[in-house]
Amino acid sequence: MDQVPFGSATFSQAEIFAENPEPRVPCLLVLDVSGSMLGDPIRQLNDGISSFRDELISDPLAAKRVEPAIITFGEDVRLITDFGTADSFFPPVLTTSGSTPMGAAVSLAIDTIAIRKQLYKTNGIAYYRPWVFLVSDGAPTDEWQAVAARAVQCQNDKAFSLFSVGVEGADLSTLSKFSSRAALSLKGLQFREMFVWLSSSLKSVSRSTPGEAVPLSNPATPDGWASA
Amino acid sequence: MWKFVGESVVGTSHIATAAPCQDASKIVSHTSTSGTLIAACGDGAGTALHADVGVQLACKTITELCELHLSTHGPLSTISQQHVEDWLAILKSRIDDEASMLRVSRRELATTLLVALLGDDDSCFFQLGDGAMIIGNMASYETIFWPQSGEYVNTTMFVTDDNALSNVQFVFRQGRIDRFAAFTDGLERLVLKFSDRTVHRPFFDRMFDGMQSASMEKLSTDLRSFLESEAVNSRTDDDKTLILACRISGFPHDSTTL
């Protein structure tokens, strides 16, 4: 993406929106790839992201409406996959290194969503409330308090919904400070189950019409992937 | 003289859950003014427990209030934004009464509302929420208001909102309108082009051409089977309402026949 000149990137976006005027459901994954995720955790996370993609593209409407993006935080904070519909979502295999700059990652997430909304508006594309999925196995190693407060304010303003998920070893009480709802704790390394749940929730959202309650199943049940 | 038809049909997602149709419409040909047509429709909120009651109450009440105004104040040009806000305030209090009888809050009767008053030489429109009304002639169609939504595509405004009176859009238009249609959000993506905010003209050409020959009774059945057809259901699983009205050719509006 970086090597594409700004002008032609903008142009190609306009073309994509003209070809696919469906309303969009942006879903931003903010993923911890710090050193401690090495081994099984990152492997399961990568597998989970693949099943996420498979689930989304198997649903014709979701494939055209759900737009995943990925920000990773570890050695650095990067938007490694920008928003695009699920049928053009080809996430790279994630590798681990570095610490846990969660504050910077959530700050980038807030900005990335604002930019995406602006692009939708410019192109006359309707959209649903964006989802942010914050996943970590640790605690922030950078300044995070102000960003967390900003993230909660955004959620109160309905700018997006944020779900935080702690992998074993995570500081759940800090993770909870980024979200207007309590952080969930991932059971074992059930990333696959988590992403299947996420894709089916997004499928429900992408079908919802005004005034309709979106039926989301509770992930923190005995059979679910999380505990509250 | 108008030829008109309006039908509301339950969506496939509501059939699956045995939910009632939460759309409604009402069309009245007002007799005391020459040939004014009053058309109203709405879409009850899916999250509202008694959306079906709310939308029917809204269509019935608002058409009665419009008729009352025409009978007592006369021409459409006397209608102002203030009148529309007064009517909505009355409607809200009727909804409150109904809600208290049902022992629920007002928002359990939440509904959108689209209303048109079509006279010989002028017309009035007002709208709260999504769905749209279009007007046209043989050459082109235009929307009166683009569907009102919140920031997000699955949010809209309802007559039961606290700020409903400030959200309502109202317009008075000079000139004679030959073709009119109104529809709820279930049909939006079939008949409007969201990319450039225009009306999908071939759809309405076909619908209005079809209306010319059919009898009023047959129109209802035909419209209903169209709205229930696979072609429509494959594009939307929501409840859907369509109102169509066109002037009958051969009847000059300034008829001098006695």
Side-chain angles (χ1 to χ4, degrees), chain A residues 33-82:
Chain A
V33 295
S34 61
S36 56
M37 288 284 288
L38 182 67
D40 246 6
I42 199 75
R43 209 165 23 247
Q44 302 285 348
L45 179 58
N46 278 316
D47 286 353
I49 295 170
S50 301
S51 10
F52 182 50
R53 176 176 195 275
D54 294 345
E55 289 288 329
L56 290 177
I57 58 175
S58 69
D59 181 292
L61 202 60
K64 285 194 158 132
R65 293 187 169 186
V66 178
E67 295 202 321
I70 301 178
I71 286 174
T72 54
F73 54 104
E75 193 175 357
D76 58 3
V77 172
R78 273 202 300 157
L79 175 65
I80 56 160
T81 310
D82 201 355

mmCIF file of all heavy atoms in Angstrom, chain A residues 33-82:
data_model
loop_
_atom_site.group_PDB
_atom_site.id
_atom_site.type_symbol
_atom_site.label_atom_id
_atom_site.label_comp_id
_atom_site.label_asym_id
_atom_site.label_seq_id
_atom_site.Cartn_x
_atom_site.Cartn_y
_atom_site.Cartn_z
ATOM 1 N N VAL A 33 1.289 -8.357 19.200
ATOM 2 C CA VAL A 33 2.257 -9.305 18.624
ATOM 3 C C VAL A 33 3.595 -9.163 19.356
ATOM 4 O O VAL A 33 4.671 -9.351 18.776
ATOM 5 C CB VAL A 33 2.441 -9.102 17.100
ATOM 6 C CG1 VAL A 33 1.156 -9.427 16.355
ATOM 7 C CG2 VAL A 33 2.898 -7.682 16.764
ATOM 8 N N SER A 34 3.519 -8.804 20.642
ATOM 9 C CA SER A 34 4.750 -8.650 21.427
ATOM 10 C C SER A 34 5.416 -10.014 21.628
ATOM 11 O O SER A 34 4.798 -11.059 21.380
ATOM 12 C CB SER A 34 4.420 -8.026 22.787
ATOM 13 O OG SER A 34 3.542 -8.869 23.497
ATOM 14 N N GLY A 35 6.661 -9.995 22.084
ATOM 15 C CA GLY A 35 7.457 -11.216 22.229
ATOM 16 C C GLY A 35 6.763 -12.339 22.976
ATOM 17 O O GLY A 35 6.916 -13.516 22.636
ATOM 18 N N SER A 36 5.946 -11.985 23.962
ATOM 19 C CA SER A 36 5.316 -13.016 24.785
ATOM 20 C C SER A 36 4.257 -13.820 24.025
ATOM 21 O O SER A 36 3.801 -14.858 24.491
ATOM 22 C CB SER A 36 4.672 -12.371 26.019
ATOM 23 O OG SER A 36 3.758 -11.385 25.603
ATOM 24 N N MET A 37 3.870 -13.341 22.848
ATOM 25 C CA MET A 37 2.873 -14.075 22.055
ATOM 26 C C MET A 37 3.543 -15.178 21.215
ATOM 27 O O MET A 37 2.870 -15.902 20.476
ATOM 28 C CB MET A 37 2.122 -13.116 21.109
ATOM 29 C CG MET A 37 1.152 -12.171 21.802
ATOM 30 S SD MET A 37 -0.388 -12.970 22.318
ATOM 31 C CE MET A 37 -1.211 -13.233 20.742
ATOM 32 N N LEU A 38 4.871 -15.282 21.345
ATOM 33 C CA LEU A 38 5.633 -16.257 20.548
ATOM 34 C C LEU A 38 5.123 -17.690 20.763
ATOM 35 O O LEU A 38 4.696 -18.054 21.855
ATOM 36 C CB LEU A 38 7.117 -16.184 20.956
ATOM 37 C CG LEU A 38 8.095 -17.099 20.201
ATOM 38 C CD1 LEU A 38 8.215 -16.660 18.744
ATOM 39 C CD2 LEU A 38 9.476 -17.091 20.869
ATOM 40 N N GLY A 39 5.190 -18.463 19.689
ATOM 41 C CA GLY A 39 4.847 -19.885 19.798
ATOM 42 C C GLY A 39 3.387 -20.142 19.514
ATOM 43 O O GLY A 39 2.836 -19.618 18.543
ATOM 44 N N ASP A 40 2.784 -20.957 20.385
ATOM 45 C CA ASP A 40 1.394 -21.341 20.168
ATOM 46 C C ASP A 40 0.430 -20.152 20.048
ATOM 47 O O ASP A 40 -0.408 -20.151 19.151
ATOM 48 C CB ASP A 40 0.938 -22.273 21.297
ATOM 49 C CG ASP A 40 0.643 -23.664 20.760
ATOM 50 O OD1 ASP A 40 0.915 -23.895 19.561
ATOM 51 O OD2 ASP A 40 0.138 -24.495 21.542
ATOM 52 N N PRO A 41 0.544 -19.144 20.943
ATOM 53 C CA PRO A 41 -0.425 -18.042 20.838
ATOM 54 C C PRO A 41 -0.465 -17.411 19.446
ATOM 55 O O PRO A 41 -1.544 -17.262 18.863
ATOM 56 C CB PRO A 41 0.062 -17.049 21.898
ATOM 57 C CG PRO A 41 0.744 -17.894 22.915
ATOM 58 C CD PRO A 41 1.400 -19.001 22.129
ATOM 59 N N ILE A 42 0.689 -17.052 18.879
ATOM 60 C CA ILE A 42 0.670 -16.368 17.584
ATOM 61 C C ILE A 42 0.224 -17.319 16.486
ATOM 62 O O ILE A 42 -0.477 -16.915 15.549
ATOM 63 C CB ILE A 42 2.053 -15.720 17.261
ATOM 64 C CG1 ILE A 42 1.904 -14.646 16.167
ATOM 65 C CG2 ILE A 42 3.089 -16.751 16.830
ATOM 66 C CD1 ILE A 42 1.281 -13.371 16.639
ATOM 67 N N ARG A 43 0.580 -18.606 16.631
ATOM 68 C CA ARG A 43 0.152 -19.588 15.630
ATOM 69 C C ARG A 43 -1.376 -19.700 15.624
ATOM 70 O O ARG A 43 -2.013 -19.652 14.578
ATOM 71 C CB ARG A 43 0.802 -20.941 15.942
ATOM 72 C CG ARG A 43 1.018 -21.774 14.705
ATOM 73 C CD ARG A 43 1.969 -22.966 14.863
ATOM 74 N NE ARG A 43 2.144 -23.490 16.201
ATOM 75 C CZ ARG A 43 3.295 -23.421 16.884
ATOM 76 N NH1 ARG A 43 4.359 -22.861 16.348
ATOM 77 N NH2 ARG A 43 3.387 -23.939 18.093
ATOM 78 N N GLN A 44 -1.938 -19.821 16.820
ATOM 79 C CA GLN A 44 -3.406 -19.934 16.922
ATOM 80 C C GLN A 44 -4.081 -18.642 16.455
ATOM 81 O O GLN A 44 -5.148 -18.675 15.846
ATOM 82 C CB GLN A 44 -3.815 -20.224 18.371
ATOM 83 C CG GLN A 44 -3.222 -21.481 18.957
ATOM 84 C CD GLN A 44 -3.875 -22.744 18.427
ATOM 85 O OE1 GLN A 44 -4.919 -22.682 17.777
ATOM 86 N NE2 GLN A 44 -3.267 -23.885 18.676
ATOM 87 N N LEU A 45 -3.443 -17.507 16.752
ATOM 88 C CA LEU A 45 -4.008 -16.230 16.319
ATOM 89 C C LEU A 45 -4.038 -16.152 14.794
ATOM 90 O O LEU A 45 -5.055 -15.786 14.191
ATOM 91 C CB LEU A 45 -3.190 -15.068 16.894
ATOM 92 C CG LEU A 45 -3.626 -13.647 16.513
ATOM 93 C CD1 LEU A 45 -5.070 -13.368 16.903
ATOM 94 C CD2 LEU A 45 -2.716 -12.604 17.175
ATOM 95 N N ASN A 46 -2.941 -16.552 14.144
ATOM 96 C CA ASN A 46 -2.898 -16.558 12.678
ATOM 97 C C ASN A 46 -3.966 -17.489 12.095
ATOM 98 O O ASN A 46 -4.644 -17.135 11.127
ATOM 99 C CB ASN A 46 -1.505 -16.973 12.188
ATOM 100 C CG ASN A 46 -0.529 -15.805 12.200
ATOM 101 O OD1 ASN A 46 -0.877 -14.694 11.776
ATOM 102 N ND2 ASN A 46 0.678 -16.021 12.689
ATOM 103 N N ASP A 47 -4.103 -18.675 12.691
ATOM 104 C CA ASP A 47 -5.135 -19.606 12.225
ATOM 105 C C ASP A 47 -6.519 -18.986 12.378
ATOM 106 O O ASP A 47 -7.385 -19.124 11.511
ATOM 107 C CB ASP A 47 -5.089 -20.921 13.028
ATOM 108 C CG ASP A 47 -3.896 -21.777 12.628
ATOM 109 O OD1 ASP A 47 -3.205 -21.392 11.654
ATOM 110 O OD2 ASP A 47 -3.648 -22.798 13.301
ATOM 111 N N GLY A 48 -6.699 -18.315 13.520
ATOM 112 C CA GLY A 48 -7.998 -17.683 13.783
ATOM 113 C C GLY A 48 -8.332 -16.644 12.729
ATOM 114 O O GLY A 48 -9.465 -16.582 12.239
ATOM 115 N N ILE A 49 -7.331 -15.840 12.343
ATOM 116 C CA ILE A 49 -7.570 -14.799 11.338
ATOM 117 C C ILE A 49 -7.924 -15.426 9.992
ATOM 118 O O ILE A 49 -8.806 -14.938 9.278
ATOM 119 C CB ILE A 49 -6.339 -13.872 11.214
ATOM 120 C CG1 ILE A 49 -6.145 -13.104 12.530
ATOM 121 C CG2 ILE A 49 -6.505 -12.893 10.065
ATOM 122 C CD1 ILE A 49 -4.837 -12.356 12.620
ATOM 123 N N SER A 50 -7.282 -16.558 9.656
ATOM 124 C CA SER A 50 -7.638 -17.249 8.404
ATOM 125 C C SER A 50 -9.077 -17.727 8.433
ATOM 126 O O SER A 50 -9.803 -17.575 7.447
ATOM 127 C CB SER A 50 -6.783 -18.488 8.173
ATOM 128 O OG SER A 50 -5.475 -18.167 8.124
ATOM 129 N N SER A 51 -9.486 -18.303 9.568
ATOM 130 C CA SER A 51 -10.881 -18.767 9.595
ATOM 131 C C SER A 51 -11.847 -17.581 9.567
ATOM 132 O O SER A 51 -12.938 -17.680 9.010
ATOM 133 C CB SER A 51 -11.205 -19.663 10.786
ATOM 134 O OG SER A 51 -10.194 -19.689 11.713
ATOM 135 N N PHE A 52 -11.423 -16.463 10.151
ATOM 136 C CA PHE A 52 -12.225 -15.244 10.112
ATOM 137 C C PHE A 52 -12.511 -14.867 8.662
ATOM 138 O O PHE A 52 -13.650 -14.636 8.259
ATOM 139 C CB PHE A 52 -11.445 -14.132 10.821
ATOM 140 C CG PHE A 52 -12.140 -12.801 10.910
ATOM 141 C CD1 PHE A 52 -13.442 -12.697 11.385
ATOM 142 C CD2 PHE A 52 -11.468 -11.637 10.540
ATOM 143 C CE1 PHE A 52 -14.063 -11.450 11.494
ATOM 144 C CE2 PHE A 52 -12.079 -10.397 10.647
ATOM 145 C CZ PHE A 52 -13.380 -10.300 11.120
ATOM 146 N N ARG A 53 -11.451 -14.862 7.863
ATOM 147 C CA ARG A 53 -11.602 -14.526 6.451
ATOM 148 C C ARG A 53 -12.517 -15.538 5.751
ATOM 149 O O ARG A 53 -13.430 -15.155 5.026
ATOM 150 C CB ARG A 53 -10.225 -14.518 5.780
ATOM 151 C CG ARG A 53 -10.308 -14.270 4.305
ATOM 152 C CD ARG A 53 -8.961 -14.166 3.617
ATOM 153 N NE ARG A 53 -9.179 -13.590 2.299
ATOM 154 C CZ ARG A 53 -9.513 -14.296 1.237
ATOM 155 N NH1 ARG A 53 -9.638 -15.603 1.323
ATOM 156 N NH2 ARG A 53 -9.723 -13.699 0.090
ATOM 157 N N ASP A 54 -12.263 -16.840 5.982
ATOM 158 C CA ASP A 54 -13.066 -17.881 5.330
ATOM 159 C C ASP A 54 -14.541 -17.732 5.667
ATOM 160 O O ASP A 54 -15.414 -17.854 4.800
ATOM 161 C CB ASP A 54 -12.592 -19.275 5.761
ATOM 162 C CG ASP A 54 -11.175 -19.567 5.269
ATOM 163 O OD1 ASP A 54 -10.703 -18.824 4.382
ATOM 164 O OD2 ASP A 54 -10.550 -20.515 5.783
ATOM 165 N N GLU A 55 -14.822 -17.477 6.951
ATOM 166 C CA GLU A 55 -16.214 -17.343 7.387
ATOM 167 C C GLU A 55 -16.885 -16.160 6.685
ATOM 168 O O GLU A 55 -18.024 -16.246 6.266
ATOM 169 C CB GLU A 55 -16.274 -17.117 8.900
ATOM 170 C CG GLU A 55 -15.912 -18.334 9.723
ATOM 171 C CD GLU A 55 -16.992 -19.407 9.678
ATOM 172 O OE1 GLU A 55 -18.173 -19.049 9.550
ATOM 173 O OE2 GLU A 55 -16.628 -20.600 9.740
ATOM 174 N N LEU A 56 -16.162 -15.054 6.592
ATOM 175 C CA LEU A 56 -16.758 -13.856 6.004
ATOM 176 C C LEU A 56 -17.029 -14.036 4.517
ATOM 177 O O LEU A 56 -18.094 -13.672 4.020
ATOM 178 C CB LEU A 56 -15.868 -12.629 6.226
ATOM 179 C CG LEU A 56 -15.777 -12.109 7.668
ATOM 180 C CD1 LEU A 56 -14.806 -10.939 7.727
ATOM 181 C CD2 LEU A 56 -17.150 -11.693 8.192
ATOM 182 N N ILE A 57 -16.060 -14.611 3.793
ATOM 183 C CA ILE A 57 -16.268 -14.692 2.344
ATOM 184 C C ILE A 57 -17.262 -15.788 1.974
ATOM 185 O O ILE A 57 -17.799 -15.773 0.878
ATOM 186 C CB ILE A 57 -14.955 -14.852 1.530
ATOM 187 C CG1 ILE A 57 -14.192 -16.091 1.975
ATOM 188 C CG2 ILE A 57 -14.090 -13.607 1.619
ATOM 189 C CD1 ILE A 57 -12.961 -16.349 1.132
ATOM 190 N N SER A 58 -17.554 -16.706 2.907
ATOM 191 C CA SER A 58 -18.552 -17.733 2.596
ATOM 192 C C SER A 58 -19.957 -17.145 2.636
ATOM 193 O O SER A 58 -20.922 -17.788 2.246
ATOM 194 C CB SER A 58 -18.449 -18.892 3.582
ATOM 195 O OG SER A 58 -18.877 -18.462 4.859
ATOM 196 N N ASP A 59 -20.099 -15.919 3.109
ATOM 197 C CA ASP A 59 -21.407 -15.280 3.195
ATOM 198 C C ASP A 59 -21.432 -14.128 2.191
ATOM 199 O O ASP A 59 -20.712 -13.147 2.369
ATOM 200 C CB ASP A 59 -21.595 -14.749 4.620
ATOM 201 C CG ASP A 59 -22.939 -14.080 4.830
ATOM 202 O OD1 ASP A 59 -23.165 -12.995 4.236
ATOM 203 O OD2 ASP A 59 -23.752 -14.621 5.570
ATOM 204 N N PRO A 60 -22.236 -14.254 1.110
ATOM 205 C CA PRO A 60 -22.141 -13.274 0.020
ATOM 206 C C PRO A 60 -22.338 -11.825 0.480
ATOM 207 O O PRO A 60 -21.651 -10.930 -0.007
ATOM 208 C CB PRO A 60 -23.260 -13.685 -0.933
ATOM 209 C CG PRO A 60 -23.603 -15.089 -0.572
ATOM 210 C CD PRO A 60 -23.237 -15.282 0.856
ATOM 211 N N LEU A 61 -23.275 -11.617 1.409
ATOM 212 C CA LEU A 61 -23.534 -10.245 1.850
ATOM 213 C C LEU A 61 -22.386 -9.731 2.723
ATOM 214 O O LEU A 61 -21.905 -8.610 2.541
ATOM 215 C CB LEU A 61 -24.862 -10.185 2.605
ATOM 216 C CG LEU A 61 -25.526 -8.815 2.660
ATOM 217 C CD1 LEU A 61 -25.827 -8.287 1.268
ATOM 218 C CD2 LEU A 61 -26.805 -8.884 3.484
ATOM 219 N N ALA A 62 -21.942 -10.576 3.657
ATOM 220 C CA ALA A 62 -20.846 -10.164 4.538
ATOM 221 C C ALA A 62 -19.578 -9.894 3.728
ATOM 222 O O ALA A 62 -18.818 -8.983 4.030
ATOM 223 C CB ALA A 62 -20.588 -11.228 5.598
ATOM 224 N N ALA A 63 -19.366 -10.694 2.675
ATOM 225 C CA ALA A 63 -18.167 -10.515 1.853
ATOM 226 C C ALA A 63 -18.122 -9.125 1.230
ATOM 227 O O ALA A 63 -17.058 -8.565 1.010
ATOM 228 C CB ALA A 63 -18.112 -11.581 0.760
ATOM 229 N N LYS A 64 -19.292 -8.577 0.942
ATOM 230 C CA LYS A 64 -19.357 -7.257 0.318
ATOM 231 C C LYS A 64 -19.474 -6.128 1.322
ATOM 232 O O LYS A 64 -19.301 -4.969 0.977
ATOM 233 C CB LYS A 64 -20.573 -7.184 -0.605
ATOM 234 C CG LYS A 64 -20.398 -7.923 -1.902
ATOM 235 C CD LYS A 64 -21.498 -7.485 -2.833
ATOM 236 C CE LYS A 64 -21.130 -7.730 -4.267
ATOM 237 N NZ LYS A 64 -22.145 -8.374 -5.022
ATOM 238 N N ARG A 65 -19.839 -6.453 2.555
ATOM 239 C CA ARG A 65 -20.131 -5.387 3.517
ATOM 240 C C ARG A 65 -19.120 -5.275 4.656
ATOM 241 O O ARG A 65 -18.846 -4.182 5.117
ATOM 242 C CB ARG A 65 -21.532 -5.585 4.110
ATOM 243 C CG ARG A 65 -22.619 -5.397 3.078
ATOM 244 C CD ARG A 65 -23.992 -5.437 3.698
ATOM 245 N NE ARG A 65 -25.001 -4.992 2.739
ATOM 246 C CZ ARG A 65 -26.280 -4.805 3.027
ATOM 247 N NH1 ARG A 65 -26.712 -5.029 4.243
ATOM 248 N NH2 ARG A 65 -27.113 -4.394 2.104
ATOM 249 N N VAL A 66 -18.612 -6.408 5.115
ATOM 250 C CA VAL A 66 -17.700 -6.353 6.260
ATOM 251 C C VAL A 66 -16.302 -5.985 5.762
ATOM 252 O O VAL A 66 -15.794 -6.571 4.807
ATOM 253 C CB VAL A 66 -17.667 -7.702 7.008
ATOM 254 C CG1 VAL A 66 -16.667 -7.642 8.157
ATOM 255 C CG2 VAL A 66 -19.058 -8.056 7.521
ATOM 256 N N GLU A 67 -15.713 -4.988 6.408
ATOM 257 C CA GLU A 67 -14.372 -4.543 6.031
ATOM 258 C C GLU A 67 -13.414 -4.704 7.203
ATOM 259 O O GLU A 67 -13.378 -3.859 8.093
ATOM 260 C CB GLU A 67 -14.394 -3.079 5.587
ATOM 261 C CG GLU A 67 -15.191 -2.858 4.320
ATOM 262 C CD GLU A 67 -14.782 -1.569 3.612
ATOM 263 O OE1 GLU A 67 -14.519 -0.553 4.282
ATOM 264 O OE2 GLU A 67 -14.728 -1.591 2.377
ATOM 265 N N PRO A 68 -12.637 -5.777 7.211
ATOM 266 C CA PRO A 68 -11.654 -5.938 8.287
ATOM 267 C C PRO A 68 -10.410 -5.104 8.023
ATOM 268 O O PRO A 68 -10.085 -4.801 6.872
ATOM 269 C CB PRO A 68 -11.307 -7.428 8.239
ATOM 270 C CG PRO A 68 -12.084 -8.030 7.118
ATOM 271 C CD PRO A 68 -12.631 -6.921 6.283
ATOM 272 N N ALA A 69 -9.740 -4.742 9.095
ATOM 273 C CA ALA A 69 -8.419 -4.100 9.026
ATOM 274 C C ALA A 69 -7.650 -4.582 10.246
ATOM 275 O O ALA A 69 -8.258 -5.030 11.225
ATOM 276 C CB ALA A 69 -8.550 -2.587 9.031
ATOM 277 N N ILE A 70 -6.339 -4.515 10.178
ATOM 278 C CA ILE A 70 -5.518 -5.000 11.302
ATOM 279 C C ILE A 70 -4.443 -3.976 11.682
ATOM 280 O O ILE A 70 -3.703 -3.497 10.816
ATOM 281 C CB ILE A 70 -4.813 -6.346 10.961
ATOM 282 C CG1 ILE A 70 -5.840 -7.430 10.608
ATOM 283 C CG2 ILE A 70 -3.949 -6.808 12.142
ATOM 284 C CD1 ILE A 70 -5.225 -8.762 10.203
ATOM 285 N N ILE A 71 -4.398 -3.670 12.966
ATOM 286 C CA ILE A 71 -3.275 -2.913 13.543
ATOM 287 C C ILE A 71 -2.550 -3.877 14.476
ATOM 288 O O ILE A 71 -3.196 -4.567 15.274
ATOM 289 C CB ILE A 71 -3.778 -1.687 14.332
ATOM 290 C CG1 ILE A 71 -4.251 -0.589 13.370
ATOM 291 C CG2 ILE A 71 -2.681 -1.149 15.267
ATOM 292 C CD1 ILE A 71 -4.902 0.597 14.057
ATOM 293 N N THR A 72 -1.232 -3.965 14.354
ATOM 294 C CA THR A 72 -0.479 -4.800 15.295
ATOM 295 C C THR A 72 0.370 -3.893 16.185
ATOM 296 O O THR A 72 0.756 -2.795 15.779
ATOM 297 C CB THR A 72 0.453 -5.780 14.560
ATOM 298 O OG1 THR A 72 1.274 -5.050 13.665
ATOM 299 C CG2 THR A 72 -0.338 -6.826 13.797
ATOM 300 N N PHE A 73 0.612 -4.363 17.400
ATOM 301 C CA PHE A 73 1.546 -3.636 18.274
ATOM 302 C C PHE A 73 2.501 -4.622 18.927
ATOM 303 O O PHE A 73 2.101 -5.674 19.411
ATOM 304 C CB PHE A 73 0.817 -2.761 19.298
ATOM 305 C CG PHE A 73 -0.213 -3.448 20.166
ATOM 306 C CD1 PHE A 73 0.083 -3.755 21.494
ATOM 307 C CD2 PHE A 73 -1.477 -3.759 19.691
ATOM 308 C CE1 PHE A 73 -0.862 -4.365 22.323
ATOM 309 C CE2 PHE A 73 -2.438 -4.364 20.498
ATOM 310 C CZ PHE A 73 -2.129 -4.676 21.814
ATOM 311 N N GLY A 74 3.786 -4.267 18.851
ATOM 312 C CA GLY A 74 4.872 -5.100 19.357
ATOM 313 C C GLY A 74 6.118 -4.246 19.249
ATOM 314 O O GLY A 74 6.201 -3.181 19.854
ATOM 315 N N GLU A 75 7.023 -4.665 18.381
ATOM 316 C CA GLU A 75 8.216 -3.860 18.162
ATOM 317 C C GLU A 75 7.851 -2.447 17.698
ATOM 318 O O GLU A 75 8.497 -1.468 18.031
ATOM 319 C CB GLU A 75 9.110 -4.556 17.134
ATOM 320 C CG GLU A 75 10.488 -3.952 17.082
ATOM 321 C CD GLU A 75 11.396 -4.719 16.141
ATOM 322 O OE1 GLU A 75 10.954 -5.752 15.584
ATOM 323 O OE2 GLU A 75 12.552 -4.287 15.963
ATOM 324 N N ASP A 76 6.781 -2.363 16.874
ATOM 325 C CA ASP A 76 6.240 -1.055 16.498
ATOM 326 C C ASP A 76 4.720 -1.156 16.401
ATOM 327 O O ASP A 76 4.152 -2.218 16.646
ATOM 328 C CB ASP A 76 6.860 -0.573 15.178
ATOM 329 C CG ASP A 76 6.625 -1.565 14.046
ATOM 330 O OD1 ASP A 76 5.927 -2.591 14.279
ATOM 331 O OD2 ASP A 76 7.128 -1.342 12.940
ATOM 332 N N VAL A 77 4.105 -0.031 16.083
ATOM 333 C CA VAL A 77 2.648 -0.005 15.931
ATOM 334 C C VAL A 77 2.359 0.272 14.468
ATOM 335 O O VAL A 77 2.803 1.286 13.928
ATOM 336 C CB VAL A 77 2.036 1.109 16.815
ATOM 337 C CG1 VAL A 77 0.549 1.263 16.513
ATOM 338 C CG2 VAL A 77 2.247 0.782 18.279
ATOM 339 N N ARG A 78 1.627 -0.640 13.823
ATOM 340 C CA ARG A 78 1.434 -0.480 12.382
ATOM 341 C C ARG A 78 0.038 -0.905 11.948
ATOM 342 O O ARG A 78 -0.524 -1.881 12.440
ATOM 343 C CB ARG A 78 2.445 -1.345 11.631
ATOM 344 C CG ARG A 78 3.787 -0.632 11.396
ATOM 345 C CD ARG A 78 4.517 -1.257 10.253
ATOM 346 N NE ARG A 78 4.796 -2.675 10.492
ATOM 347 C CZ ARG A 78 5.015 -3.559 9.528
ATOM 348 N NH1 ARG A 78 4.966 -3.190 8.266
ATOM 349 N NH2 ARG A 78 5.288 -4.809 9.816
ATOM 350 N N LEU A 79 -0.464 -0.164 10.987
ATOM 351 C CA LEU A 79 -1.679 -0.601 10.295
ATOM 352 C C LEU A 79 -1.198 -1.537 9.197
ATOM 353 O O LEU A 79 -0.769 -1.095 8.138
ATOM 354 C CB LEU A 79 -2.393 0.630 9.697
ATOM 355 C CG LEU A 79 -3.626 0.381 8.834
ATOM 356 C CD1 LEU A 79 -4.765 -0.236 9.658
ATOM 357 C CD2 LEU A 79 -4.104 1.678 8.195
ATOM 358 N N ILE A 80 -1.217 -2.845 9.481
ATOM 359 C CA ILE A 80 -0.619 -3.753 8.495
ATOM 360 C C ILE A 80 -1.605 -4.117 7.384
ATOM 361 O O ILE A 80 -1.187 -4.450 6.290
ATOM 362 C CB ILE A 80 -0.030 -5.041 9.129
ATOM 363 C CG1 ILE A 80 -1.088 -5.771 9.933
ATOM 364 C CG2 ILE A 80 1.202 -4.748 9.960
ATOM 365 C CD1 ILE A 80 -0.712 -7.214 10.154
ATOM 366 N N THR A 81 -2.905 -4.067 7.680
ATOM 367 C CA THR A 81 -3.901 -4.280 6.624
ATOM 368 C C THR A 81 -4.956 -3.196 6.763
ATOM 369 O O THR A 81 -5.638 -3.129 7.789
ATOM 370 C CB THR A 81 -4.567 -5.671 6.748
ATOM 371 O OG1 THR A 81 -3.553 -6.668 6.872
ATOM 372 C CG2 THR A 81 -5.422 -5.990 5.541
ATOM 373 N N ASP A 82 -5.077 -2.336 5.765
ATOM 374 C CA ASP A 82 -6.069 -1.262 5.824
ATOM 375 C C ASP A 82 -7.450 -1.834 5.490
ATOM 376 O O ASP A 82 -7.574 -2.944 4.987
ATOM 377 C CB ASP A 82 -5.693 -0.143 4.843
ATOM 378 C CG ASP A 82 -6.362 1.182 5.205
ATOM 379 O OD1 ASP A 82 -7.187 1.200 6.158
ATOM 380 O OD2 ASP A 82 -6.073 2.194 4.541
#
